[in-house]
Amino acid sequence: MNIELIVVGKLKEKYLKQGIEEYLKRLKRYAKVSIIEVNDEATQENLSEVEERQILDKEAERILSYIKPDRKVWVMAIEGKLISSEEIANKLEGYGTYGQSKVSIVIGGSLGLAQALKDRADEMLSFGRITLPHQLMRLVLVEQIYRAFRIMNHEPYHK
């Protein structure tokens, strides 16, 4: 399986980088997982709706340039479908079973995602109704992908 995380912004926090690197290392035996960082747009307080939409559209354009037509696309959004670890495992396993081994998972920036990305998505998913910093969401997502592969292979880890 080939999984790309396409994320907005650069990760600066050392502790998050270390956590993500650890899970990427663990995932090597199951899948090829890569992270593509696209530039974020500078934001400021009190943006108008038009300004927010312009920023989201610019970020979406960058993200969409990396998404190939043959990929399943998931976007992570607070309003997405709530999904469990087992459901992630089942979806990924189903893709593999039916020859869909390429998945792109998108995490937007601090303003979220443009409608164009939501429209392109095969799945719009959420890990809960809480708001997480998009940088922390990367770590949570990589851990959940690792957990999914452990579940698929009936290996201890998931409780």
Side-chain angles (χ1 to χ4, degrees):
M1 180 148 292
N2 184 326
I3 301 171
E4 290 177 339
L5 278 60
I6 305 173
V7 299
V8 174
K10 303 283 184 216
L11 194 59
K12 297 171 185 89
E13 295 81 359
K14 186 176 180 180
Y15 70 97
L16 291 174
K17 286 182 181 180
Q18 289 171 331
I20 291 167
E21 287 170 11
E22 177 61 29
Y23 284 111
L24 290 175
K25 183 174 77 174
R26 293 181 187 189
L27 275 162
K28 284 182 181 179
R29 63 184 274 217
Y30 303 107
K32 180 182 179 214
V33 180
S34 59
I35 299 177
I36 299 168
E37 293 179 328
V38 300
N39 290 334
D40 55 347
E41 288 292 310
T43 60
Q44 55 190 1
E45 296 292 321
N46 303 318
L47 293 171
S48 70
E49 283 185 36
V50 171
E51 291 169 320
E52 279 191 18
R53 194 170 33 254
Q54 288 171 338
I55 288 170
L56 290 173
D57 288 344
K58 287 178 185 176
E59 290 174 348
E61 189 176 314
R62 291 181 191 128
I63 291 167
L64 288 166
S65 73
Y66 286 98
I67 297 175
K68 296 172 184 67
D70 65 338
R71 291 192 164 270
K72 288 289 190 181
V73 177
W74 297 359
V75 297
M76 303 305 299
I78 198 166
E79 73 273 19
K81 176 187 169 208
L82 290 172
I83 190 166
S84 68
S85 300
E86 294 86 358
E87 289 171 309
I88 294 169
N90 288 338
K91 284 183 181 298
L92 291 175
E93 190 168 42
Y95 291 164
T97 300
Y98 294 102
Q100 276 290 343
S101 62
K102 297 177 182 176
V103 181
S104 293
I105 307 174
V106 177
I107 300 174
S110 60
L111 296 177
L113 295 167
Q115 190 60 46
L117 281 166
K118 294 175 184 178
D119 292 344
R120 170 59 180 93
D122 296 292
E123 301 279 350
M124 191 162 67
L125 305 174
S126 175
F127 289 160
R129 298 297 178 228
I130 60 170
T131 302
L132 291 173
H134 58 282
Q135 299 93 341
L136 178 58
M137 186 59 200
R138 292 185 204 185
L139 176 60
V140 173
L141 178 59
V142 173
E143 187 279 336
Q144 284 298 302
I145 294 168
Y146 173 69
R147 184 179 297 270
F149 279 99
R150 298 291 291 193
I151 291 169
M152 284 187 275
N153 288 283
H154 308 287
E155 295 172 351
Y157 178 72
H158 181 67
K159 306 228 185 269

